[in-house]
Amino acid sequence: MDNESSGIVIKASAIMHGAILPLSLLLASIGTAVADNPIIQTIYTADPAPFVYNDTIWLFADHDEDAASSFFLMKEWRLYASTDVVNWQDYGTVASLSATFKWATDRAWAPQTIERNGMFYMYCPVQLSSGAMAIGVATSKTITGPYQDALGKPLVQNNNIDPTVMIDDDGQAYMYWANPGLYYVKLNKDMISYSGSIVSVNPKPNGLTEGPWLWKRNGKYYLAYASNGIPESISYSTATSPTGPWTGKGGTIMGPTGSSFTNHQAIIDYKNHSLFFYHTGALPGGGGYHRSIAIEDFTYGSDGSIPAIKMTTNGAAQIGSLDPYKQTSATMIAFSSGVKTEKYSEGFMSVTQKSGAKDIYIKVKGVDFGSAGASSLSVRVASSGSGKLTATLGSRTGTAIATCNIASTGGTSKWATVSCPITGSVKGKNDLYWTFSGTFGFAWWQFIQASATVAREFQA
């Protein structure tokens, strides 16, 4: 993301839209789209910051509001999680300008979160009343938040943005940030203060504009970043020290393709797979101020080099499969149309239908029913009227395996578990589709395995 007061000005003429429509209505107009990139379709998301913890990818992101037109409109930070890279559960808002950084006035921009000694630290660029940019830090005892302001003021303030944090093998933590310069500090063990002065990196890595992402792999330090001005590419440099110089082998990872004039990357290893996160304007209504996170997988070269990566609609391959016999949040989604997620009265996130949307469905990818198959289905719903939830395999018009008739539960905040009969044989690995008719809340689902009497419990 670019800071127009720090030397790189985003011109409104770069990306212009006509009438602004809610994302869910735009998605409903695309018919039979089944591509899995971008990975979040319920809102526009940008600036991915994944963190691997407890064998799960926790994806922190900021949120491009639908109402943005000629500049970024961003007020909160969101969280998603996955164990297979393709199905992502929505954990909602974990921090915001209004609730977390009350001294900030605008621009909830690119965050990064890291854990140390059982505490989670979230570093966020925000705008001050003076118009300058600063970086705040918020903390939580759980990765899902909510995150609370740790200082009541900025951690650093020099009108640059996009923090990235890494704890080296010797325990020393570093925070870099950039735009238009590149800076770092050595964080203290409390992770909310630093020793010494802010260091300006000179020369900067070749072409660096903003968005640094710092990591270490096989003894080598990497710094990936948005590069080469507007429209942005993604490049990287390497070093033998966490403080540089960043003059080692590097190059361009992704060129300036797609309909967003910015890009922002993150790179992690997960379950022996290397993953490249970025954002694009590929969703309906998307563009420079309405971006969406996507993922590609890649393989490092034998010398540790990163290859050129192209944007795709398929995205990264699924790692493993999804277990249908574990109670699963309805917000666990590979692709969706016409739905929104929201906090519900039982404390978690649920799915409901957007007003005026058509062709309303959710796709869950790679659901493995095994050889025994399923014997029944339970869903948790809330409704003030009547509706129908249909489960099909392979596509929205594929084999129907269950139809859940939803009667009034006494209101949209009164939740009930509905049992639905299974029709036909439900075995093996399939893409599972949920199709909605009527308006109701959908909190979770769980299949019961044939011959199984005890189901595994839902983990929110």
Side-chain angles (χ1 to χ4, degrees), residues 2 20 52 56 92 104 115 127 139-140 142 172 184 194 207 222 253 276 296 306 343 363 367 409 412 418 421 427 459:
D2 294 290
I20 300 171
V52 178
T56 299
E115 182 268 343
Q127 189 177 45
T139 60
S140 174
T142 63
Q172 178 62 59
Y184 76 84
Y194 60 91
Y222 291 78
I253 302 174
F276 178 79
E296 311 295 344
I306 301 173
K343 187 78 75 174
K363 173 187 175 182
V367 179
T409 60
T412 55
V418 176
K427 297 181 180 181
Q459 298 294 320

Side-chain angles (χ1 to χ4, degrees), residues 97-180:
L97 294 174
S98 61
T100 311
F101 299 113
K102 296 181 180 180
W103 44 267
T105 59
D106 199 2
R107 302 185 185 179
W109 285 2
Q112 189 176 348
T113 300
I114 197 167
E115 182 268 343
R116 186 166 199 166
N117 297 329
M119 184 70 75
F120 297 89
Y121 300 87
M122 185 176 180
Y123 301 85
C124 305
V126 294
Q127 189 177 45
L128 305 175
S129 59
S130 65
M133 296 297 295
I135 294 170
V137 56
T139 60
S140 174
K141 292 182 179 179
T142 63
I143 196 166
T144 55
Y147 286 78
Q148 304 295 327
D149 187 2
L151 296 173
K153 62 181 181 179
L155 171 62
V156 295
Q157 180 181 341
N158 71 342
N159 204 29
N160 277 245
I161 57 173
D162 296 349
T164 180
V165 178
M166 183 200 75
I167 302 173
D168 206 354
D169 297 338
D170 62 1
Q172 178 62 59
Y174 299 84
M175 182 176 77
Y176 276 80
W177 67 104
N179 184 333

Side-chain angles (χ1 to χ4, degrees), residues 217-218 220 222 236 249 274 298-307:
R217 187 177 189 273
N218 295 336
K220 181 183 295 186
Y222 291 78
Y236 79 103
K249 185 176 179 62
S274 297
F298 73 96
T299 301
Y300 285 89
S302 59
D303 59 353
S305 60
I306 301 173

Side-chain angles (χ1 to χ4, degrees), residues 220-410:
K220 181 183 295 186
Y221 297 90
Y222 291 78
L223 192 72
Y225 47 88
S227 59
N228 302 325
I230 301 295
E232 291 178 337
S233 301
I234 298 297
S235 301
Y236 79 103
S237 295
T238 58
T240 57
S241 161
T243 59
W246 298 100
T247 55
K249 185 176 179 62
T252 299
I253 302 174
M254 179 174 282
T257 54
S259 57
S260 170
F261 55 85
T262 66
N263 205 344
H264 189 106
Q265 78 300 319
I267 296 175
I268 62 170
D269 285 339
Y270 179 66
K271 295 182 178 179
N272 297 316
H273 293 257
S274 297
L275 300 170
F276 178 79
F277 292 71
Y278 61 102
H279 68 226
T280 177
L283 282 183
Y289 308 125
H290 296 100
R291 301 157 298 173
S292 297
I293 293 172
I295 308 175
E296 311 295 344
D297 38 26
F298 73 96
T299 301
Y300 285 89
S302 59
D303 59 353
S305 60
I306 301 173
I309 299 172
K310 293 183 178 180
M311 299 181 181
T312 72
T313 56
N314 291 330
Q318 185 173 22
I319 300 174
S321 59
L322 190 140
D323 181 358
Y325 306 118
K326 175 181 177 181
Q327 198 175 92
T328 301
S329 171
T331 71
M332 182 71 79
I333 296 171
F335 197 84
S336 65
S337 174
V339 300
K340 63 180 180 179
T341 60
E342 59 189 18
K343 187 78 75 174
Y344 76 102
S345 57
E346 294 184 337
F348 308 121
M349 296 291 289
S350 66
V351 170
T352 190
Q353 302 80 53
K354 261 289 197 181
S355 176
K358 300 178 181 179
D359 197 27
I360 306 168
Y361 72 93
I362 290 170
K363 173 187 175 182
V364 186
K365 191 170 184 176
V367 179
D368 192 353
F369 292 93
S371 58
S375 61
S376 62
L377 166 66
S378 295
V379 297
R380 187 75 169 168
V381 294
S383 178
S384 59
S386 60
K388 184 168 65 175
L389 181 65
T390 303
T392 60
L393 300 181
S395 71
R396 285 166 289 154
T397 58
T399 302
I401 59 171
T403 299
C404 303
N405 293 308
I406 311 299
S408 174
T409 60

